[in-house]
């Protein structure tokens, strides 16, 4: 799995936030493709997809909170916030990979 935690030399948060938001949009689009593929595969597939989509939504909400915290942070706390946001993005990506492995 690719890690999105920033390098310690990164000091400007704006490009990092932009990258995170773009990645979230990309993951959302991938989830929509998976949902379209899962339609018509029966009730069991829909139930499984709904469970995975619910897990994904929870991780996405957490990611959005981390981005807001990151935007509001400053000084020495910023690096810790970036690392937390990177871990949350990794978890969001993992949740989507789970869906892809079941429905692709």
């Amino acid at each position: 799995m690719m890690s999105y935690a920033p390098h310690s030399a990164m000091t400007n948060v704006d490009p990092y936030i932009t990258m995170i938001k773009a990645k979230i949009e990309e993951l959302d689009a991938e989830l929509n493709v998976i949902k379209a593929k899962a339609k018509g595969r029966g009730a069991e597939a829909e139930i499984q997809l709904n469970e995975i989509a619910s897990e994904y939504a929870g991780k996405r909400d957490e990611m959005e909170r981390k981005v807001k915290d990151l935007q509001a942070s400053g000084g020495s706390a910023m690096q810790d916030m970036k690392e937390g946001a990177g871990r949350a993005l990794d978890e969001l990506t993992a949740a989507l990979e789970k869906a892809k492995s079941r429905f692709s």
Side-chain angles (χ1 to χ4, degrees):
M1 182 179 336
M2 185 175 195
S3 178
Y4 297 96
H7 300 295
S8 59
M10 187 176 202
T11 57
N12 186 353
V13 72
D14 292 335
Y16 187 67
I17 290 172
T18 300
M19 182 277 302
I20 288 175
K21 288 180 178 182
K23 186 64 181 174
I24 291 170
E25 288 178 14
E26 176 186 323
L27 295 173
D28 287 349
E30 286 184 48
L31 182 61
N32 288 333
V33 168
I34 293 167
K35 285 179 179 179
K37 286 181 181 180
K39 281 190 177 189
R41 289 193 180 181
E44 183 63 30
E46 287 187 33
I47 290 169
Q48 288 179 358
L49 181 60
N50 286 339
E51 289 173 2
I52 293 169
S54 177
E55 176 185 350
Y56 176 87
K59 301 274 185 203
R60 188 182 193 289
D61 290 346
E62 178 184 343
M63 185 71 244
E64 288 178 344
R65 283 191 300 276
K66 297 258 185 211
V67 168
K68 286 179 184 174
D69 290 346
L70 184 58
Q71 287 173 314
S73 70
S76 62
M78 189 173 294
Q79 186 60 34
D80 289 339
M81 298 300 294
K82 286 180 186 179
E83 290 171 5
R87 284 190 299 276
L89 187 55
D90 285 343
E91 291 174 9
L92 184 64
T93 301
L96 183 69
E97 290 300 320
K98 184 176 179 181
K100 285 170 71 172
S101 70
R102 288 191 184 170
F103 296 100
S104 294

